[in-house]
Amino acid sequence: MSLINETVAVWVSPEGSPVRLVWRARRFRVTDTPTPLTASASLPDELLHFLTHPPKPVAAWRCQGTADDGTSLVFDIQHDDSGARWQLLRAYD
């Protein structure tokens, strides 16, 4: 695992999950089902809030990406503080 924290270009599906990303001039197609990275509602008050309020849009994902040469990596990506850009947090071989 490498801690990255770099800006990446991400394309998303109409539902909002990542389908492609470009990192360091390499294109990776998402080749698995992306997993939303969210906090779990473990306390009763948090659970009640979850049941009475609509969920926030997913701001972070873990996905496997495969480059044209067959290289596959797992990426953790999230929106930056402004919500305008994607940040690559970690990459796993």
Side-chain angles (χ1 to χ4, degrees), residues 36-81:
L37 299 176
T38 59
S40 63
S42 58
L43 301 175
D45 290 342
E46 291 174 355
L47 183 57
L48 179 59
H49 181 80
F50 177 75
L51 294 174
T52 59
H53 294 74
K56 294 180 182 178
V58 175
W61 295 90
R62 176 170 289 157
C63 59
Q64 175 182 294
T66 303
D68 290 338
D69 66 2
T71 302
S72 289
L73 300 172
V74 173
F75 299 102
D76 288 351
I77 59 174
Q78 77 173 13
H79 279 114
D80 65 4
D81 291 337

Side-chain angles (χ1 to χ4, degrees), residues 13-35:
S13 70
E15 296 78 30
S17 62
V19 295
R20 180 172 47 134
L21 65 92
V22 175
W23 173 49
R24 296 182 179 172
R26 290 183 72 191
R27 182 181 67 168
F28 292 86
R29 288 173 289 111
V30 174
T31 52
D32 72 348
T33 302
T35 303

